[in-house]
Amino acid sequence: MSGGAKLRVRVDSVTPVNDLIKRFRFVALDGSDLPAFSGGAHTVVEMDDHGTRRLNPYSLMSSPADRSAYEISVRRDDQGRGGSLFMHRHVTPGMEMTLSYPVNLFPLDTRARKHLMIAGGIGITPFLAQIAQLDQFGGRFELHYAARSRVLGAYMDRLTAAHPSQVHCYFDEENQAIDLSRLLATQPIGTHLYVCGPKGMINWVLSSAEAMGWPRLALHHEEFLAPGTGLPFEVQLAASGKTITVGTTQSLLEAMEAAGVDAPYLCRGGACGQCETNVHKCDGKILHRDHWLSPEEHAANAKIMPCVSRFEGKTLVIDR
Amino acid sequence: MSLDFKPGAFDFFRDETFRESFTYRNSNPLRFPFPFDRDDYMYSVNMEPHVPGRKGTAFEHILDVDEHYVAEMIDRAKVLADDPLRCQSLPHMTLAGWDLLELIMEAKARDYPQWFSLTKNGNRWHWVNRPLGIEQSFTFLDESTLPYGPFEYITRQTQGDFSLQDERDNDLWMDAGMITSQADWSLDFDIGMSFMEWHAPVPLAHEKGVFDRALKFLLKLQHGAPVRRFNWTMTVNPLLDTAPETYPKWGPTKTTLTQENLGAKQHLRVELQSLYRLPRSNAIAFDIRCYLCSFEQIVTVPKWARRLHRVVRDLPDELAAYKGFLRNRPAMVEWLSKYDDGAPTSPGWWPDD
């Protein structure tokens, strides 16, 4: 089955964190322990949004040592395709849902002498689990966490209370910014850098670090892309002999699934590479939106990541 | 744990040796995981889900505990006493060791309650291994409460070699291993290597892209969805420990085969390899479980007799050389040909009913 092993869970509680963010707590339907996981892992939440199947990845933020429940935080995106709105409006305690087993595309490098973490907004969630893991097993870390305002700085209170000297907060509204060049210049040898947040922040941090000579293998980031919307387009599926139309707010992967085609996937956010599909014919332009394929592969148009990428043009035939 | 545990507490476990007297036998050859599903062989990724399979076979449970368990653990303890470097774990792999300990203890207690039990009270765990006479209370995730590190502790009680692969930089790194029943490779040489580095000596498969596909596949391996594949080679005498370090001891036995003794001495060596994503460490555990069966026991199954003859006869020279039996291949084919009447074989590896 595509997407790997699944977990049946019940929503234990839904907690508003601020105006934009709600926290969801899941327990196993049969009351047993949930699988252990590693800090930085995510789960894909399956939603039945009034007949539309939505699968969105969310970082696990609870302590990896706690197998009694999983927690995620969801930021409401009023302009999005509807997954976060469904979570905010329709998911209530007692509901039964399906999650994927945890998958980690953003793990700590456990050889690191020090972990330097940089978070922007909702990008804080994987770090919460990673910090809990480091608390348990030991490990030096420092977190720099930027949010729009004090009100929107989710979990800042608990982080600063538990780690007053390791957690540093910044607020856009107060014109505070991370002094990145000083921060990156003053780290001990063997430090690994992790960044999770908006695309602009990730690019800023990674390009600064590379320009300052940080080893590429010491730089880690995670960015889930929402599939994004676009004009409808038609795709021919060579292996299954079907022609499908991808709707405005639908991804190509979702359209294949709706047509009964069992396509592989894991993260559904353009990051993991699992859904990579060969392109047989492309008369038009593939709108590559993943960060799995290389720029050369994007230019060659011989492969597509159906979880996030779209198409404009006359004919697209893919090997699925 | 020492060398002083003895077979006999349970009649099920054979009192046998994998060295000197070589008294190893399979009571029931039909239990042997014969690895050829067709009459020829070439490398492929050949992965399938590692799920419990047919009753009464090596596939019934995810970790097979068979009649050789106690004898194999005695043999492992001897190998480690002679060469402690057969078990190594780099400092950052301790958590992966705990993951593996949990996986093995839970599976054995669930599937073989007559032999193993695990009781948990929070992180206070109590483990009983009756065949080996071991009883241990310890604190999960606290190394100081076990006589060895978690990885060495549990793999001294588990058949099969194990390596632990750390995942970093879109690659896998062999950063821990318990390797005492290996087909001529060295943990001490390979420790710390990347996936392509430790597979570098394998012929033909690189050109076919097998390792690129295998690495890509393994990087996507998910917790809760283990996979397995077969590998195989040939070993003279039922010797578990065919290590490069001890080649002078066992290598020359390849020159002792005759048509008269080949059936008893020549063994097909099968590795049932299973791979698990570990939950807390995000590492991958690789279980390389070795099964040995003498040619004379294999040919008691007519389908396997025909097929083994054809596979050995038609294998490319590069593979026969890499697997270390190019020199003895003509003798093996001559011996096996007596059991191949040329009849067609059915697909798949199971014996015909």
Side-chain angles (χ1 to χ4, degrees):
Chain A
M1 181 181 53
S2 305
K6 301 287 163 69
L7 300 164
R8 290 290 293 157
V9 296
R10 185 168 46 76
V11 180
D12 182 60
S13 61
V14 180
T15 311
V17 178
N18 58 37
D19 285 351
L20 289 176
I21 295 171
K22 278 187 177 178
R23 182 171 67 244
F24 299 83
R25 182 179 173 85
F26 304 104
V27 296
L29 209 51
D30 62 5
S32 61
D33 275 353
L34 290 163
F37 65 95
S38 47
H42 71 267
T43 182
V44 174
V45 179
E46 299 193 13
M47 305 166 213
D48 177 6
D49 185 0
H50 309 88
T52 301
R53 184 165 170 261
R54 302 188 187 281
L55 295 97
N56 283 18
Y58 295 104
S59 293
L60 292 168
M61 55 168 281
S62 44
S63 167
D66 179 9
R67 292 178 60 183
S68 67
Y70 287 163
E71 287 180 344
I72 62 170
S73 282
V74 179
R75 183 184 191 281
R76 195 182 72 237
D77 180 358
D78 295 318
Q79 265 72 55
R81 299 175 330 124
S84 68
L85 286 175
F86 176 81
M87 292 297 293
H88 272 253
R89 288 178 186 161
H90 300 292
V91 173
T92 52
M95 251 174 82
E96 293 179 12
M97 297 186 84
T98 300
L99 309 181
S100 74
Y101 262 62
V103 172
N104 201 339
L105 303 176
F106 190 51
L108 292 171
D109 188 322
T110 46
R111 301 167 310 160
R113 302 280 181 82
K114 178 183 172 185
H115 305 278
L116 177 64
M117 304 165 171
I118 298 179
I122 192 67
I124 189 62
T125 50
F127 294 122
L128 293 167
Q130 290 181 338
I131 289 170
Q133 183 175 324
L134 292 171
D135 276 346
Q136 186 180 10
F137 297 108
R140 190 173 160 201
F141 77 92
E142 193 176 303
L143 169 71
H144 295 262
Y145 175 13
R148 217 181 323 151
S149 65
R150 285 178 191 271
V151 185
L152 291 177
Y155 308 115
M156 277 182 177
D157 293 352
R158 74 152 89 157
L159 282 165
T160 47
H163 307 281
S165 59
Q166 289 143 291
V167 174
H168 308 268
C169 300
Y170 307 81
F171 304 102
D172 300 347
E173 273 187 2
E174 299 173 27
N175 294 320
Q176 296 169 342
I178 300 171
D179 185 355
L180 192 61
S181 49
R182 198 190 60 81
L183 189 63
L184 295 180
T186 54
Q187 297 303 317
I189 294 274
T191 300
H192 279 246
L193 171 69
Y194 306 83
V195 56
C196 185
K199 193 176 190 66
M201 175 188 233
I202 292 176
N203 292 343
W204 172 56
V205 171
L206 294 182
S207 59
S208 304
E210 278 175 31
M212 292 173 70
W214 277 62
R216 192 178 53 81
L217 297 180
L219 305 178
H220 312 273
H221 72 284
E222 178 158 78
E223 179 195 8
F224 285 129
L225 303 169
T229 54
L231 296 172
F233 59 98
E234 199 171 83
V235 184
Q236 295 174 35
L237 309 178
S240 36
K242 293 183 179 180
T243 299
I244 58 170
T245 301
V246 182
T248 306
T249 61
Q250 205 177 23
S251 72
L252 170 53
L253 177 61
E254 288 167 344
M256 287 195 284
E257 289 169 341
V261 175
D262 187 27
Y265 70 86
L266 269 184
C267 80
R268 304 180 81 91
C272 81
Q274 182 76 350
C275 69
E276 181 183 298
T277 304
N278 289 324
V279 172
H280 287 328
K281 188 178 175 198
C282 172
D283 181 3
K285 192 179 169 204
I286 296 178
L287 308 173
H288 292 289
R289 289 176 175 169
D290 61 281
H291 34 71
W292 169 256
L293 298 174
S294 64
E296 296 75 32
E297 287 174 312
H298 282 166
N301 276 344
K303 289 174 178 172
I304 186 171
M305 308 305 293
C307 66
V308 290
S309 297
R310 303 181 73 84
F311 175 71
E312 268 175 9
K314 208 168 155 207
T315 315
L316 179 67
V317 186
I318 65 172
D319 184 22
R320 194 60 77 196
Chain B
M1 198 194 312
S2 63
L3 303 182
D4 60 1
F5 42 74
K6 299 216 169 21
F10 295 84
D11 289 340
F12 177 79
F13 299 106
R14 284 176 50 86
D15 181 1
E16 62 185 1
T17 57
F18 297 89
R19 50 180 76 206
E20 289 104 23
S21 51
F22 291 117
T23 57
Y24 169 90
R25 296 285 176 285
N26 290 300
S27 303
N28 174 15
L30 291 176
R31 212 183 174 284
F32 181 69
F34 187 75
F36 305 114
D37 62 350
R38 64 192 72 187
D39 288 357
D40 52 41
Y41 175 80
M42 181 35 78
Y43 284 121
S44 62
V45 178
N46 68 335
M47 299 277 192
E48 61 172 5
H50 185 41
V51 291
R54 252 187 222 204
K55 270 200 180 333
T57 70
F59 303 95
E60 182 170 352
H61 301 298
I62 61 159
L63 288 170
D64 181 37
V65 179
D66 66 11
E67 61 180 345
H68 311 298
Y69 174 54
V70 175
E72 284 188 32
M73 294 301 96
I74 292 172
D75 196 69
R76 169 161 289 167
K78 288 179 179 169
V79 173
L80 290 168
D82 288 345
D83 182 0
L85 292 178
R86 302 301 188 82
C87 181
Q88 300 188 43
S89 177
L90 299 185
H92 61 282
M93 298 306 283
T94 305
L95 183 58
W98 284 112
D99 274 331
L100 183 69
L101 175 141
E102 177 188 49
L103 170 78
I104 291 174
M105 286 187 177
E106 287 186 348
K108 285 190 169 177
R110 177 187 67 230
D111 296 335
Y112 302 96
Q114 71 277 33
W115 297 329
F116 305 96
S117 82
L118 177 65
T119 332
K120 296 180 186 174
N121 180 8
N123 275 354
R124 288 295 302 159
W125 290 19
H126 187 73
W127 166 246
V128 181
N129 177 336
R130 292 181 195 90
L132 297 187
I134 293 169
E135 210 172 328
Q136 181 80 44
S137 288
F138 64 100
T139 304
F140 186 64
L141 302 175
D142 179 355
E143 266 189 286
S144 69
T145 59
L146 283 178
Y148 301 99
F151 176 66
E152 180 169 358
Y153 180 77
I154 197 58
T155 52
R156 276 179 178 266
Q157 301 179 44
T158 307
Q159 286 166 283
D161 283 353
F162 282 84
S163 65
L164 298 178
Q165 278 66 234
D166 194 22
E167 180 171 333
R168 303 187 302 270
D169 318 328
N170 238 355
D171 206 340
L172 296 172
W173 305 83
M174 191 188 295
D175 286 347
M178 167 67 92
I179 308 294
T180 67
S181 54
Q182 67 283 62
D184 202 6
W185 67 279
S186 167
L187 172 70
D188 194 40
F189 185 73
D190 284 0
I191 189 110
M193 283 191 185
S194 71
F195 189 81
M196 291 303 168
E197 287 169 346
W198 85 70
H199 282 117
V202 183
L204 301 184
H206 291 274
E207 294 83 332
K208 289 173 169 295
V210 166
F211 291 117
D212 293 318
R213 287 201 298 280
L215 176 60
K216 212 164 179 177
F217 179 88
L218 291 176
L219 291 172
K220 300 289 175 298
L221 184 67
Q222 284 191 83
H223 181 220
V227 296
R228 67 175 168 234
R229 69 180 289 265
F230 281 124
N231 200 3
W232 65 277
T233 188
M234 295 288 180
T235 304
V236 176
N237 291 325
L239 186 66
L240 283 176
D241 177 32
T242 52
E245 286 90 342
T246 53
Y247 189 83
K249 286 189 196 166
W250 57 269
T253 60
K254 293 186 199 179
T255 65
T256 63
L257 290 184
T258 64
Q259 287 303 303
E260 290 65 46
N261 68 19
L262 194 145
K265 284 187 104 165
Q266 183 62 57
H267 287 67
L268 174 59
R269 181 189 193 101
V270 170
E271 291 175 353
L272 177 52
Q273 305 179 339
S274 48
L275 293 131
Y276 303 82
R277 173 72 71 180
L278 299 176
R280 292 174 186 77
S281 57
N282 203 42
I284 289 179
F286 186 31
D287 174 1
I288 311 158
R289 173 66 180 278
C290 172
Y291 292 87
L292 293 161
C293 195
S294 63
F295 274 25
E296 66 185 11
Q297 283 205 300
I298 290 176
V299 298
T300 60
V301 182
K303 171 177 166 181
W304 294 355
R306 294 182 183 108
R307 181 164 287 170
L308 183 61
H309 171 241
R310 297 167 198 179
V311 168
V312 172
R313 182 189 64 199
D314 300 337
L315 194 73
D317 280 353
E318 294 95 324
L319 292 192
Y322 174 67
K323 291 175 183 293
F325 66 90
L326 191 59
R327 139 186 241 288
N328 286 332
R329 169 155 57 177
M332 291 167 159
V333 172
E334 183 186 342
W335 192 92
L336 287 165
S337 66
K338 298 188 299 250
Y339 302 92
D340 183 0
D341 56 9
T345 55
S346 58
W349 51 64
W350 304 110
D352 295 320
D353 295 324

